[in-house]
Structures are given as C-alpha cells and as structure tokens.
Amino acid sequence: MAKKKTSIKDIAEALGVSITTVSFILNGKAREKRISDEMTGKVQDYIKKIGYKPSHIAQSLRLGKSKIIVFMVEDISNQFFASIARLIEEKAYKNGYKIIYCSTENDTIKTKELISTFKMRNVDGFIITPTPGLEHVVRKLLEEDFAVVLFDRWIPDVDCSYVVVENKLSAKEATQHLIHQGCKNLGFVTVDSSQTQMNDRMDGFLEALIGTEAKSAILKVKFHTISEQEASRKILEFFSSHPELDGVFFSTNYLAFEGLHALIKLGKKIPEQIRLVSFDDHYFFNLFQPPITAIEQPIEEIAENLMDLMLKQLEHGEVQNNKIILPNKLNLRESSVYK
Amino acid sequence: MAKKKTSIKDIAEALGVSITTVSFILNGKAREKRISDEMTGKVQDYIKKIGYKPSHIAQSLRLGKSKIIVFMVEDISNQFFASIARLIEEKAYKNGYKIIYCSTENDTIKTKELISTFKMRNVDGFIITPTPGLEHVVRKLLEEDFAVVLFDRWIPDVDCSYVVVENKLSAKEATQHLIHQGCKNLGFVTVDSSQTQMNDRMDGFLEALIGTEAKSAILKVKFHTISEQEASRKILEFFSSHPELDGVFFSTNYLAFEGLHALIKLGKKIPEQIRLVSFDDHYFFNLFQPPITAIEQPIEEIAENLMDLMLKQLEHGEVQNNKIILPNKLNLRESSVYK
DNA sequence: TTGAAAGCGCTACCAT
DNA sequence: ATGGTAGCGCTTTCAA
C-alpha cells in the first residue's frame, strides 16, 4: 500500500554522495563532468537495483518541457485518423515523447478550449487537423513558440508547417478515369464544410470536367459522425432524383459507405449501371463485391512526415514552415471499370 | 515569440497581494478562508482579463497527481478500441482528466515497459486490455495504489476491477443459432493466444455443440496486425481443406474479414452453401452483401462503465474489485439464415 | 482576513 | 572530481 517514491535524494543519501552527482550520472553527463568511473558505476548499479525512475513531472517543471505532444483530430475513432495515431504513437515513444489525443469533432469552440487546456499542461507540440476558423489560435500558438504541425488540411494565410496530400490532382485523375470509362453523367458527393481538402477534391473533380461533354450533379451533406441518419437519407434522395447518373465520386470513404447502402437499396448494378470511385481507400473497399476503386492516401508517409516535422521543431526550434504535399495512389478496382 | 508564462506570482505582484491569497481564490477556497469578496472579485477579474491558467505540471508535482489516465489497448487503430477511446476521452475531459494512449500489440514485454514509463510520469490511472503474463505487473500496480481497470479481457487470479462482456453466453447463442439453421459441420476460427475473451468464446461455441450431432473443426491463427499475409493464407487453407463446413463462427471481426476474402476466392455462396456469424459487429457487416450476422458489443456501456470505475477509484480510492459483465446483442442478418 | 515559507523532485550554475 | 543550492509554479500549514 505504501507508495514510497524513491527520489534522487534518497539515492544520494543511501550512497553517501550528493544529489548533483547522481543527477549528472542520470543524465549521462558523467564523462563531461569528469565523474570517476567508479562512482558512476556504483550509482548506476544502485539505480538499477532499486529500479529507480526519475519523475517526469519534476523534470517537466524544471525544464519547462513536458515531452508530450497532442494529437487533435476530427474523430479519433475514424479509421484514417486512428491508423495515423497508431504510427505516430510509435515514433513518439521511440523519441521519448508521449501522445495525448482528442477529438475536435470539427467544432472550433471545442478545439479552442482544448488547445487552451493543453497549453496549461505545458504540452510541447500540437498536431492538428484544423477546423475552420482556427487561424487566430494557430497563429498565436506559433507566436508563443509551440511546435505545430497541421495535417489533412491546412489553413490559408497562416504560415505553419503541414502535411497534406495531393487532393486536387488525385481527384482530377480519378474523375478522368471515370470519364474514360464512358461516364457521361457524373455525381460528386461531399461534405458540406469548407475544409480545404474537401474543396480541393471538388476542384479536381470540376477541373476534370472542363472541355468534356460530361454533365455533373453535386451533393453536399452535413456529416458529423459516421452513420448519421440525416446524411444517409440525403444521399438516398440524391440518387433517386438523379437516375441519369452513370458515375459517382465520393469525396471520402464514409460517404461512399452510405452511398453504397443507398445504391444497394435502389437496386443499382455496380459497375454496369453506375461506376464508383471514392477518396480514402479502406480495407473494405477491397472486400466489397464488386471491389471499390479508391484513392489511397500514404498513411505511413503522412505519419512519418508529421513526426519528422514535429521533432525537428521540437529539437531545433527553427523549422516553421515546411509544407509537405504527398502523392496518393489510385487503386483501380471493378467498381469503376466498364464491363 | 517571447513566451511570458504568467505565474501565480506575477498575479500576486501585479495586484499587490500575496501568492497565498491568489491560490486560495483560484482553488475556490475564498469563502472557506474568509477572504473578502472585494479581494476575491479583484483577483478573479484580473485572472480573467489576462487569461491566466495555472500550470498543471506544477500542480502535479505539488499534489502528486497528474490527472492523466493511460489507455493501453492492443491496437488503437482497431475500430473497436478506437471507438471506445473516443467515448472514454470525452468522459475523461469532462472530469478534468486527460487520456494518454498506447498500443501494446499484445506484447507483454512492451506493455511492461510502457507501464513502467507511465509510472514515472505519475499517471493516476490505467485502463488496460491485459496481455497474457501481466498478472504480476497489475498486482504491483494495485499495491502501489494506482487506479486500474481492465477491459475486454481480465486476468484470472488478480483481484482487479474489470469491464468485459458475456463472451461465452453470446458465443453459445450464436452457435445455437447456426445449428437451428441446419448447420451440421461447424467451423470456429479464432486467434492463437490465451486471451480470456477468446477462450470464453470458444467455450461457448463448444458448449453449444454438446448433445447435438454437429461436428466441428477449429482453426487458431496467429494474428498480430490486420491484413497479415500469414493469417490470410491459413484461413484460405482451412476452408479449402474443409469443404464440408456449412457454418462458421469467427471469434472476432478481423478474422471474419479475412474469412470473407477466402470464401469469395473459393466461390462459396453465402448463406446457401455456408452460413456465417462473427463476434464484434462492424459497420461493414451491415453493408456487405449479404449482410453478416454478428454479435455486437455494447460500446457505449463499456466506455461508460470503464470511466465510472476509473473515476470512482480515482476520487474515492476504495472500490477495487468491481467486476462488470455486460450483455451483447446478436444482430441476425442474411449471412446466417437458411434460404 | 491575509501572508511567509516549506517543499514536491529535479537540473544546472557556481563553488570548492 | 564532487557538492551546495536556487528555483521551476504551486498548495497548504502556521503565523500574524
């Protein structure tokens, strides 16, 4: 029951040396401070024996750094974010950092509150999928010398490091692919919000149409959480009222899932009657019959780059505006191919 | 650029009062300490004005509590765990706690290391999906007065709070359902490890067979990460070499996904030739054609109970062995129903 | 009704 | 080569 926390002081006393000496040895400065090997060995042995671990809290207070990075995403239970979380976590731990996470739910107020809470916790860095209207807060964070890296989307007019993917280009390519497959009436289903990545995807879609005879219909749905009733109904309605559509582009996978539901309900044959493409590949797109063509974001590289930028800022403090834009991969599958 | 951290001292100076006074007011002890309303108001106004937030690090050091809970699961990118993470997070934040997470990868060594790291961070509580061989560590955690709640599985012989579901009962019911549908040769696909929840599911399966004419074939695969080649091959092999199977129970959803892959490859008709049931319902099971029958765990209640137990231990310190076992829901869908 | 000061565990400057 | 000690920001006891 008694939780006797051994402190550096206890060690010093037990060994009859000073706190300073122990601290230096603990921090690998034995050589530098020219402490005798004998002493060093003695202290290290003792430390190992009693399994002493220094208190990070005290270190944090002293150093003004917490070695904690916050990972703020729209929704941590979303597969895409969860996968990145997993990879980031690994890299962070390897470098002695811990990750705290939270879901912003795309709610600017909530996000602001969270950021403020984290500030008082002395977190060292922020990895954020910014919500609309966060410019000011992010700018302030930067001014106050926090390490910040945005991802998935970025904030126009704020000079902050980010890692995103080639949304526009990939969307354009995928749309062109549909056109090459003979689609004449294209649908585009996206979320009703001004997140940059979604805008870019739509731009890509529209750009692909220029100079072609293909017609288009666009649906924007409010989408907060997965399986939201409202969105589901809207999508069904959209397809019912647009029987002419012979090709559809979903700007993200959860919309595609709802779309599939709707199309199944309407008895549409994929790809014979309607061909599909979605952004954000997913394990199930490959499992579904027919398998769904999708644009795959390079999860590993995103995570890799995020932590690279983060660590660089954290350790060196200089790099502030690294913009990284990664290419995606279009995975062609049966859902989009003309039979 | 300059990050001028306002401290309680600055406030005291600016207002010409003592640190103590400010601290009392900050902690809502103004009344108790009989500080004049005038003073209280003055301080509060100033605090609001400059947007001061106390340093949690310093508080932690002083109080010996960090208000941080660790959420250690097998794999945070797994949908089931990610969903629970999301819900827990919410409850934690509401109560002033933060969540740090990490993936154990079911690796006992890694888990032990992580726990040791967290101890030195003074985290207050642990929510853990225990790996095999963690008895000792958990017991020690309890002895040292940390708040601990296990979930998904528990550890036999350790008197620790946990939240799990009725694995055996639900598995039994689902198996009986298959038998009622006329299955005579049942397959059971599970992971090759001695996690209690998996054992219970298998027990339920076997119990359902007692006294019936149904025969069974069991496959145990090592499964670390999703989409692992090896597991995929094993499952395909299993189905090829057991053409007699007319019903299969998957002990968890990712095995079912691999199983579906295999069955599609083998051209088996579901449910005409083979009927399926899986543990752990998933969004995709409903979307798949035919929709897959699955046992749904009560995610919300699990999260709810986890945090309840955690907070109770954290705030009162007494409750140590609350065992909560929640019922599941069998979602009948086409994959298991005789046509 | 308010303030001084000890001390949580640690790092690092300055002595010796 | 080793030690004394200030101080990070806060809470809380004791004193005034």
Side-chain angles (χ1 to χ4, degrees):
Chain A
M1 216 61 169
K3 193 159 96 200
K4 34 185 251 178
K5 302 232 57 160
T6 33
S7 78
I8 199 170
K9 197 173 148 197
D10 301 323
I11 297 177
E13 266 170 20
L15 259 43
V17 297
S18 89
I19 290 183
T20 315
T21 311
V22 180
S23 175
F24 282 148
I25 294 173
L26 239 24
N27 294 305
K29 295 189 180 167
R31 272 263 123 74
E32 184 187 326
K33 297 293 176 181
R34 299 195 271 175
I35 288 169
S36 69
D37 287 357
E38 185 197 3
M39 173 100 279
T40 307
K42 198 170 79 177
V43 173
Q44 278 172 341
D45 287 350
Y46 185 74
I47 284 170
K48 190 164 290 173
K49 200 185 96 196
I50 64 164
Y52 165 79
K53 303 271 179 188
S55 152
H56 266 229
I57 301 270
Q59 286 178 328
S60 298
L61 181 59
R62 183 62 238 245
L63 278 339
K65 311 220 154 278
S66 62
K67 289 268 178 181
I68 289 187
I69 297 167
V70 204
F71 184 67
M72 306 182 73
V73 294
E74 184 173 339
D75 174 8
I76 190 67
S77 70
N78 173 312
Q79 185 72 44
F80 174 66
F81 294 126
S83 303
I84 291 191
R86 166 77 131 87
L87 296 166
I88 290 208
E89 175 209 332
E90 229 179 280
K91 257 210 135 184
Y93 280 69
K94 258 182 212 144
N95 288 276
Y97 285 89
K98 301 277 161 293
I99 303 275
I100 283 193
Y101 66 85
C102 59
S103 306
T104 65
E105 291 167 27
N106 246 337
D107 176 339
T108 307
I109 310 280
K110 188 183 175 193
T111 308
K112 282 184 182 171
E113 278 173 11
L114 285 167
I115 290 181
S116 142
T117 318
F118 288 127
K119 275 187 182 177
M120 84 185 177
R121 287 225 167 229
N122 270 38
V123 303
D124 297 339
F126 291 81
I127 297 178
I128 312 179
T129 59
T131 59
L134 215 65
E135 306 85 12
H136 188 65
V137 184
V138 170
R139 205 176 273 129
K140 193 152 175 222
L141 237 28
L142 255 17
E143 273 167 21
E144 293 177 45
D145 259 357
F146 285 100
V148 185
V149 184
L150 309 178
F151 86 108
D152 193 46
R153 21 205 140 144
W154 80 100
I155 304 182
D157 305 329
V158 176
D159 192 30
C160 178
S161 292
Y162 61 70
V163 177
V164 297
V165 295
E166 284 179 335
N167 287 296
K168 190 171 164 187
L169 181 65
S170 295
K172 188 174 173 182
E173 283 173 2
T175 309
Q176 285 172 333
H177 161 70
L178 285 178
I179 295 172
H180 288 322
Q181 297 302 311
C183 296
K184 302 281 184 219
N185 291 284
L186 292 170
F188 186 78
V189 180
T190 186
V191 293
D192 183 18
S193 97
S194 60
Q195 300 162 29
T196 55
Q197 86 282 23
M198 295 304 177
N199 290 343
D200 290 349
R201 290 172 195 177
M202 186 146 98
D203 288 350
F205 172 79
L206 293 173
E207 215 174 282
L209 295 179
I210 295 172
T212 72
E213 297 148 19
K215 290 191 181 124
S216 68
I218 291 179
L219 172 67
K220 291 185 176 192
V221 286
K222 287 204 198 309
F223 209 104
H224 289 297
T225 0
I226 216 166
S227 80
E228 206 186 296
Q229 299 290 316
E230 170 77 2
S232 188
R233 225 198 51 238
K234 277 272 170 58
I235 291 175
L236 184 59
E237 209 176 284
F238 177 71
F239 285 123
S240 314
S241 61
H242 285 281
E244 80 281 6
L245 292 179
D246 54 7
V248 182
F249 188 132
F250 295 97
S251 75
T252 179
N253 56 23
Y254 48 82
L255 288 174
F257 295 144
E258 292 299 333
L260 284 172
H261 253 312
L263 292 170
I264 289 169
K265 218 176 260 178
L266 294 173
K268 285 268 188 182
K269 287 230 161 60
I270 307 166
E272 291 81 354
Q273 295 176 286
I274 190 162
R275 290 182 264 298
L276 306 184
V277 172
S278 174
F279 219 101
D280 285 338
D281 202 3
H282 197 283
Y283 182 83
F284 305 116
F285 281 155
N286 201 23
L287 189 53
F288 195 80
Q289 296 300 315
I292 310 294
T293 294
I295 296 164
E296 178 185 350
Q297 297 197 42
I299 309 263
E300 273 93 6
E301 280 135 68
I302 292 174
E304 186 88 7
N305 278 284
L306 276 176
M307 279 309 289
D308 270 6
L309 292 188
M310 179 48 69
L311 290 173
K312 261 184 208 155
Q313 282 189 48
L314 250 17
E315 313 286 301
H316 311 306
E318 3 118 1
V319 213
Q320 190 155 112
N321 49 354
N322 257 305
K323 274 89 168 134
I324 297 202
I325 302 175
L326 300 169
N328 302 298
K329 197 177 138 202
L330 179 60
N331 291 324
L332 291 178
R333 304 203 182 95
E334 288 178 36
S335 77
S336 67
V337 178
Y338 179 72
K339 278 197 190 180
Chain B
M1 213 60 169
K3 193 159 98 201
K4 36 184 247 179
K5 302 233 55 164
T6 35
S7 77
I8 199 170
K9 195 174 151 195
D10 300 322
I11 297 177
E13 266 168 20
L15 259 44
V17 297
S18 88
I19 290 182
T20 316
T21 311
V22 180
S23 175
F24 283 148
I25 295 173
L26 239 25
N27 294 306
K29 296 190 178 164
R31 272 263 123 73
E32 184 187 326
K33 297 292 175 182
R34 299 196 274 175
I35 288 169
S36 67
D37 287 356
E38 184 198 4
M39 174 100 278
T40 307
K42 197 170 77 180
V43 173
Q44 278 172 341
D45 287 350
Y46 185 73
I47 284 169
K48 191 165 289 174
K49 201 186 94 197
I50 64 165
Y52 165 81
K53 303 271 179 186
S55 152
H56 266 228
I57 301 270
Q59 285 178 327
S60 297
L61 181 60
R62 183 62 237 242
L63 278 336
K65 311 224 155 277
S66 62
K67 288 267 177 181
I68 288 186
I69 297 167
V70 203
F71 185 66
M72 307 182 74
V73 295
E74 185 172 337
D75 175 7
I76 191 68
S77 70
N78 172 312
Q79 185 72 45
F80 173 66
F81 294 125
S83 302
I84 291 191
R86 166 79 131 86
L87 296 168
I88 289 210
E89 174 209 332
E90 228 179 281
K91 259 211 132 185
Y93 280 69
K94 256 180 216 147
N95 289 277
Y97 284 89
K98 301 278 162 294
I99 302 277
I100 284 194
Y101 65 87
C102 60
S103 305
T104 65
E105 292 167 27
N106 244 338
D107 176 339
T108 308
I109 308 281
K110 188 182 174 195
T111 308
K112 283 183 182 171
E113 278 173 13
L114 285 168
I115 290 181
S116 141
T117 317
F118 288 127
K119 275 188 184 178
M120 83 187 178
R121 286 226 167 227
N122 272 35
V123 303
D124 297 339
F126 291 82
I127 297 178
I128 313 178
T129 58
T131 58
L134 215 65
E135 306 86 11
H136 188 66
V137 184
V138 170
R139 205 176 273 128
K140 193 152 174 220
L141 236 30
L142 254 16
E143 274 166 22
E144 292 175 44
D145 261 353
F146 284 101
V148 185
V149 184
L150 310 178
F151 86 108
D152 193 47
R153 22 204 139 145
W154 81 100
I155 305 182
D157 304 330
V158 176
D159 193 30
C160 179
S161 292
Y162 61 70
V163 178
V164 296
V165 295
E166 284 179 335
N167 288 296
K168 190 170 162 187
L169 181 65
S170 295
K172 188 175 173 182
E173 282 172 3
T175 309
Q176 285 171 334
H177 161 71
L178 285 179
I179 294 172
H180 288 323
Q181 297 303 312
C183 296
K184 303 281 185 218
N185 291 284
L186 292 171
F188 186 77
V189 180
T190 186
V191 293
D192 184 17
S193 95
S194 59
Q195 301 162 30
T196 56
Q197 86 283 24
M198 295 305 177
N199 290 341
D200 289 349
R201 290 171 196 178
M202 185 146 98
D203 288 350
F205 172 78
L206 292 173
E207 215 173 281
L209 296 180
I210 295 172
T212 72
E213 295 147 21
K215 291 192 181 123
S216 69
I218 290 177
L219 172 68
K220 291 184 175 193
V221 285
K222 287 202 198 311
F223 208 104
H224 289 298
T225 0
I226 217 169
S227 82
E228 204 188 299
Q229 299 291 316
E230 170 78 1
S232 187
R233 225 197 52 236
K234 278 274 169 62
I235 292 174
L236 184 59
E237 210 175 283
F238 177 72
F239 285 123
S240 314
S241 61
H242 286 281
E244 81 282 7
L245 293 179
D246 55 6
V248 183
F249 188 129
F250 295 98
S251 74
T252 181
N253 56 23
Y254 46 82
L255 289 173
F257 297 144
E258 292 301 332
L260 285 172
H261 253 311
L263 292 171
I264 288 169
K265 217 176 264 179
L266 294 174
K268 286 269 188 181
K269 288 228 159 61
I270 307 167
E272 292 81 353
Q273 294 176 286
I274 190 163
R275 290 181 264 300
L276 306 184
V277 172
S278 174
F279 220 101
D280 285 338
D281 202 1
H282 195 283
Y283 181 83
F284 190 72
F285 281 155
N286 202 24
L287 190 53
F288 194 79
Q289 296 300 316
I292 310 294
T293 294
I295 296 163
E296 178 185 350
Q297 296 197 42
I299 309 264
E300 273 94 6
E301 281 135 68
I302 292 174
E304 187 87 6
N305 279 286
L306 277 177
M307 279 308 290
D308 269 6
L309 293 188
M310 178 50 69
L311 291 173
K312 261 184 209 157
Q313 282 189 46
L314 248 19
E315 313 286 300
H316 310 305
E318 2 117 3
V319 212
Q320 189 156 110
N321 48 355
N322 258 305
K323 273 90 170 134
I324 297 199
I325 302 175
L326 301 168
N328 302 298
K329 197 176 139 204
L330 179 61
N331 291 324
L332 292 179
R333 303 201 183 96
E334 287 177 37
S335 77
S336 66
V337 178
Y338 179 72
K339 280 194 189 180

